[in-house]
Amino acid sequence: MDGSRWNFALLYLLPVAYLARVIMIAIEEILFRGWILQSAGARWGVPAGIAVSSGAFALFHFVGPLMLIAPLHTFHWVLATNLVLWSVLAALLTLTGRGLWAAMAFHATPLWLASNAFVVVVPGQRPPDMAVLLLSQPKASPLAGEAALAGPFTGLPTALLLAVLCAGALAVYLRRSRARGLATAAA
């Protein structure tokens, strides 16, 4: 922020921007984890439900109806991998917690942070009006992370982090599933 009165006033809009992001994410989570994951999982099993919902989620971000109006993502295998891993993590959070709240929070918060708090800009690019901290990324690339929208959340380092988080979430899910199965068998 450059310190002008207008930019300082925008700081008060950050919570409103977060609420708008949560509403948008809630719609995605209801569609992909609330409906597709649950339906495919009930029909073909949990692994298939996770695969179908994750594939649909990634595909939606490249060819969904909103992308026809305002394309936000250009296809790259790293971004596609990150979208699938992100969706697998959200599916595991949904299944483990038996609800959409954790997935919605984990989906909305990093995207809001990348859009409003820690915004990545390429030199020469106009910075957004609402950004708490601008991060410079002189050579944006799909491998290191894109400057647009998700910033550092799109590159290979993010893919590695998401893979670790998915492994941890899978371990917790399996442990809780086993515990639920034992409790059901004992009852």
Side-chain angles (χ1 to χ4, degrees):
M1 298 198 155
D2 65 9
S4 71
R5 190 172 286 172
W6 172 246
N7 280 344
F8 187 70
L10 288 175
L11 190 61
Y12 293 106
L13 293 176
L14 288 174
V16 174
Y18 183 73
L19 180 61
R21 178 69 69 172
V22 167
I23 291 169
M24 181 193 78
I25 295 304
I27 294 167
E28 284 187 14
E29 290 302 325
I30 290 168
L31 174 63
F32 293 105
R33 261 61 72 184
W35 180 52
I36 296 175
L37 170 67
Q38 304 301 324
S39 298
R43 184 175 193 124
W44 301 304
V46 172
I50 292 172
V52 169
S53 66
S54 298
F57 179 79
L59 189 60
F60 174 79
H61 283 79
F62 295 115
V63 294
L66 294 177
M67 298 310 122
L68 299 173
I69 298 167
L72 302 174
H73 302 293
T74 303
F75 182 83
H76 190 275
W77 68 270
V78 175
L79 179 56
T81 300
N82 286 350
L83 287 168
V84 168
L85 287 171
W86 186 276
S87 186
V88 167
L89 179 60
L92 291 168
L93 289 172
T94 298
L95 293 169
T96 301
R98 294 183 161 185
L100 296 174
W101 293 110
M104 285 183 356
F106 194 73
H107 190 162
T109 302
L111 290 179
W112 177 82
L113 288 171
S115 302
N116 299 298
F118 305 106
V119 179
V120 177
V121 293
V122 174
Q125 177 186 11
R126 182 185 177 278
D129 291 327
M130 248 187 336
V132 175
L133 179 65
L134 291 176
L135 306 172
S136 178
Q137 187 172 356
K139 294 182 180 182
S141 77
L143 297 176
E146 292 291 342
L149 296 180
F153 299 110
T154 60
L156 276 176
T158 300
L160 296 174
L161 175 62
L162 285 170
V164 169
L165 290 173
C166 284
L170 178 61
V172 171
Y173 170 72
L174 292 173
R175 186 178 321 129
R176 287 196 180 169
S177 294
R178 199 173 322 117
R180 286 182 193 134
L182 292 174
T184 304

